[in-house]
């Protein structure tokens, strides 16, 4: 091989014409090294020649133009190899290459003599480099010896050869791996926290069938603050919640956990949806004014056949009717949580028997390449054809919207079905109601009505008697402390008996300890002692509802 010709093509080693014409200075400089000790130097001997360099002793060293390619490559600290011919025979390896990978015989094809090139994925590039005349690089490949290298293959013009240059990036690769490990642990911590804060098992109301799915984003996407919840409110009513905390990582998951806990506490107050959202708005600003969240809080009442909801900047609820028509709830009834200064309102959307409602976060429908309204429209089309159990609908929607394990955002979906019951199943669900008119004489009519209804529903005698007693106490409490209009409602499901009395007064009763001499004040205490649960709430049109429940024997 002609190393002199190759050295002329290496970057930084182009020969200058002036240096070639002035080679006579080089023997003179080298003769200086051979001057016998004690021989005086000429006055101009100490100055370096035009192409020389000073050594540590002040003597001129060899110029770059006077070094051969072998000498230049041999002094490089990085591994270098020269390969020649179509079968890439080894022409030369420098000392750094031998120190890293061991001695390599010349004249032998690289595929046989240099197994490290195969482990570094370099061998397939050699033919490409020769054919195209374009350099190729493989970055940060690990060898069996434990080091990591970035290898560049450069064609040598006119010589049918390839120069292989390996840069040791072991420290950089190890630092990058430590960073990836740290990020992976951080993400695993966030995912664990996120999943632990979500409901481990969804409550299943009597009148609804519910399923939910949470899927964190792929490994390149930090975990967000998506969440959902199902809360039974009593008297057959159910609260449905879904939200999304803007941001990523442990902080977003922690804020999500605080909001979810607060929602459950506010829900127990049995407030209208917009009042719950109003309280959450204040709390979100107190937790972190810079952390914005969206949320939908909806309440289902089986007697009304609709969802009453309030939306704080969240995406609209979708409802699929029994015939496949998809209805879309109105726009959000207020801005995201944490913005403050806004009076939220409630909206309604029908949820009749046979319908399915879907609540979801933006990760399901938002794509960088399209408007989010297009994503919501795609979800509506997928929902129109999605049938089966709530969990099956969840899975189909996620597949239809192209959500995979490597999705770039986390996704939460809550599917709620209001089944249409027929036949024997329908016999387990009944409603009966009586308007309480005529003053105090309404009490005996209410007891007679309850006795007849509970008997027709074939309840055991003991449960029937407890139901009549609870009805009497609730009606008496309403007659004494409430105002017209008054109404008694009885409802049975496959799991419980519900008794509810409404009136026009909005003062909520409370349980108190009656003194032995008191003639009143024991009604609520009696109900609390005989019923499985009881509660009260203000009704939207003004007034209140007081209710109690009895679990049915299974």
């Amino acid at each position: 091989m002609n190393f002199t010709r190759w050295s002329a093509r290496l970057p930084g080693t182009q020969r200058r014409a002036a240096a070639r014409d002035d080679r006579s200075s080089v023997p003179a400089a080298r003769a200086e090294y051979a001057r016998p000790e004690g021989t005086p130097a000429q006055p101009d001997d100490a100055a370096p020649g035009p192409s020389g360099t000073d050594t540590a002793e002040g003597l001129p060293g060899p110029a770059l133009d006077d070094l051969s390619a072998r000498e230049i490559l041999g002094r490089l600290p990085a591994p270098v190899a020269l390969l020649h011919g179509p079968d890439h025979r080894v022409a030369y390896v420098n000392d750094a290459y031998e120190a890293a990978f061991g001695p390599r015989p010349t004249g032998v094809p690289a595929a046989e003599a240099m197994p490290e090139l195969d482990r570094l994925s370099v061998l397939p590039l050699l033919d490409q480099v020769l054919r195209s005349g374009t350099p190729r690089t493989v970055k940060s490949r690990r060898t069996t010896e434990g080091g990591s290298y970035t290898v560049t293959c450069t064609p040598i013009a006119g010589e049918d050869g390839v120069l292989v240059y390996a840069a040791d990036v072991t420290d950089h690769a190890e630092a990058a791996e430590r960073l990836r490990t740290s990020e992976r642990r951080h993400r695993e911590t966030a995912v664990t926290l996120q999943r632990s804060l979500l409901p481990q098992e969804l409550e299943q109301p009597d009148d609804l069938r519910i399923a939910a799915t949470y899927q964190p984003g792929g490994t390149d996407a930090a975990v967000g603050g998506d969440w959902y919840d199902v809360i039974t409110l009593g008297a057959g009513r159910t609260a449905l919640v879904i939200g999304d905390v803007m941001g990523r990582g442990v902080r977003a998951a922690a804020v999500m956990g605080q909001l979810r806990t607060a929602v459950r506490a506010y829900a127990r107050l049995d407030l209208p949806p917009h009042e719950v959202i109003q309280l959450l708005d204040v709390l979100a600003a107190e937790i972190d004014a810079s952390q914005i969240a969206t949320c939908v809080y909806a309440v289902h009442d089986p007697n009304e056949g609709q969802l009453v909801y309030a939306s704080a900047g969240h995406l609209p609820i979708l409802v699929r009717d029994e015939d496949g028509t998809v209805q879309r709830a109105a726009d959000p009834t207020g801005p995201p949580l944490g913005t403050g200064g806004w009076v939220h309102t409630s909206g309604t959307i029908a949820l009749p028997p046979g319908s399915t409602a879907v609540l979801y976060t933006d990760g399901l429908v938002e794509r960088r390449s399209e408007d989010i309204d297009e994503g919501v429209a795609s979800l509506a089309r997928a929902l129109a054809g999605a049938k089966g159990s709530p969990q099956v609908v969840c899975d189909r929607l996620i597949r239809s919207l192209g959500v995979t394990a490597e999705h770039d955002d986390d996704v939460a979906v809550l599917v709620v079905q209001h089944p249409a019951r027929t036949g024997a199943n329908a016999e387990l669900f009944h409603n009966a109601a009586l308007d309480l008119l005529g003053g105090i004489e309404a009490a005996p009519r209410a007891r007679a009505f309850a006795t007849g209804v509970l008997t027709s529903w074939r309840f055991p005698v003991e449960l029937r008697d407890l139901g009549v007693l609870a009805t009497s106490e609730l009606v008496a409490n309403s007659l004494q402390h409430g105002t017209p209009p008054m109404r008694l409602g009885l409802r049975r499901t496959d799991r419980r008996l519900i008794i509810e009395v409404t009136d026009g007064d909005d003062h909520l009763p409370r349980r108190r300890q009656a003194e032995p001499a008191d003639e009143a004040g024991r009604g609520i205490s009696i109900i609390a002692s005989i019923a499985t649960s009881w509660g009260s709430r203000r009704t939207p049109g003004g007034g209140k509802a007081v209710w109690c429940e009895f679990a049915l024997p299974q």
Side-chain angles (χ1 to χ4, degrees), residues 233 237 239 263 266-280 297-300 308-311 333 344-347 508 536-543:
L233 301 177
R237 301 164 70 249
V263 167
Y266 296 150
R268 298 307 177 192
L269 301 176
D270 217 337
L271 300 171
H274 65 275
E275 292 189 23
V276 173
I277 291 295
Q278 202 79 47
L279 292 172
L280 281 178
Y297 181 88
V299 174
H300 174 259
V308 181
Y309 69 92
S311 172
T333 57
H344 291 266
T345 58
S346 294
L508 299 180
S536 62
R537 71 179 187 281
R538 290 186 175 88
T539 52

Side-chain angles (χ1 to χ4, degrees), residues 288-369:
D288 187 345
S290 64
Q291 199 87 44
I292 304 300
T294 63
C295 179
V296 168
Y297 181 88
V299 174
H300 174 259
D301 189 331
N303 297 316
E304 298 175 358
Q306 64 182 9
L307 288 177
V308 181
Y309 69 92
S311 172
H314 204 79
L315 293 165
I317 300 172
L318 300 181
V319 176
R320 179 188 182 275
D321 294 334
E322 195 169 14
D323 61 0
T325 304
V326 175
Q327 307 292 332
R328 173 174 171 170
D331 292 335
T333 57
L337 302 176
T339 55
W342 186 271
V343 178
H344 291 266
T345 58
S346 294
T348 60
I349 185 170
L351 188 69
S355 59
T356 300
V358 176
L359 293 77
Y360 52 95
T361 57
D362 59 359
L364 181 64
V365 296
E366 189 174 29
R367 301 293 182 271
R368 296 176 181 175
S369 59

Side-chain angles (χ1 to χ4, degrees), residues 25-312:
S25 62
V26 177
R30 289 178 178 167
E32 178 66 22
Y33 298 145
R35 183 183 301 117
E37 187 176 352
T39 305
Q42 299 298 323
D44 57 345
D45 285 343
S51 59
T53 57
D54 288 337
T55 64
E57 294 80 10
L59 298 176
L64 180 62
D65 289 332
D66 299 312
L67 297 176
S68 67
R70 182 183 296 274
E71 292 173 311
I72 293 173
L73 299 180
R75 297 187 182 190
L76 292 178
V80 175
L82 292 173
L83 309 177
H84 178 66
D87 51 357
H88 314 296
R89 295 182 180 274
V90 181
Y92 170 77
V93 294
N94 68 352
D95 294 340
Y97 195 100
E98 292 185 349
F101 304 110
R104 294 294 179 260
T106 58
V108 180
E112 301 175 14
M114 308 175 87
E116 65 277 359
L117 296 187
D118 185 36
R119 293 192 294 268
L120 293 169
S121 303
V122 172
L123 285 179
L125 298 182
L126 298 176
D127 289 334
Q128 298 178 26
V129 171
L130 278 183
R131 286 196 305 268
S132 65
T134 303
R136 294 286 189 272
T137 300
V138 292
K139 295 183 177 180
S140 193
R141 298 300 174 88
R142 191 172 182 83
T143 66
T144 54
E145 291 80 3
S148 296
Y149 293 86
T150 292
V151 183
T152 299
C153 300
T154 303
I156 306 300
E159 294 293 340
D160 196 21
V162 177
L163 182 143
V164 179
Y165 177 88
D168 189 343
V169 294
T170 303
D171 292 343
H172 175 78
E174 291 177 351
E177 181 60 29
R178 288 193 297 270
L179 178 60
R180 285 192 294 269
T181 300
S182 175
E183 290 176 344
R184 184 166 57 249
R185 289 175 179 171
H186 182 82
R187 182 179 184 278
E188 290 171 354
T189 300
V191 171
T192 301
L193 176 61
Q194 175 89 342
R195 290 194 181 280
S196 67
L197 293 174
L198 290 174
Q200 302 305 301
E201 185 176 351
L202 287 178
E203 298 181 25
Q204 292 293 337
D206 297 356
D207 294 272
L208 301 175
R209 298 293 177 263
I210 301 176
T213 296
Y214 170 73
Q215 180 169 312
T219 54
D220 293 334
V223 176
D226 291 16
W227 57 287
Y228 54 82
D229 208 349
V230 177
I231 308 165
T232 53
L233 301 177
R237 301 164 70 249
T238 306
L240 310 167
V241 197
I242 196 162
D244 185 2
V245 177
M246 305 304 176
R248 293 288 185 268
V250 174
R251 177 60 182 166
V255 172
M256 175 274 287
Q258 295 177 77
L259 291 178
R260 177 175 175 255
T261 301
V263 167
R264 294 193 71 86
Y266 296 150
R268 298 307 177 192
L269 301 176
D270 217 337
L271 300 171
H274 65 275
E275 292 189 23
V276 173
I277 291 295
Q278 202 79 47
L279 292 172
L280 281 178
D281 184 37
V282 175
L283 177 65
E286 292 176 352
I287 293 174
D288 187 345
S290 64
Q291 199 87 44
I292 304 300
T294 63
C295 179
V296 168
Y297 181 88
V299 174
H300 174 259
D301 189 331
N303 297 316
E304 298 175 358
Q306 64 182 9
L307 288 177
V308 181
Y309 69 92
S311 172

Side-chain angles (χ1 to χ4, degrees), residues 13-24:
T13 63
Q14 285 78 6
R15 294 174 176 270
R16 296 188 297 272
R20 286 199 302 269
D21 297 336
D22 198 22
R23 287 187 181 276
S24 58

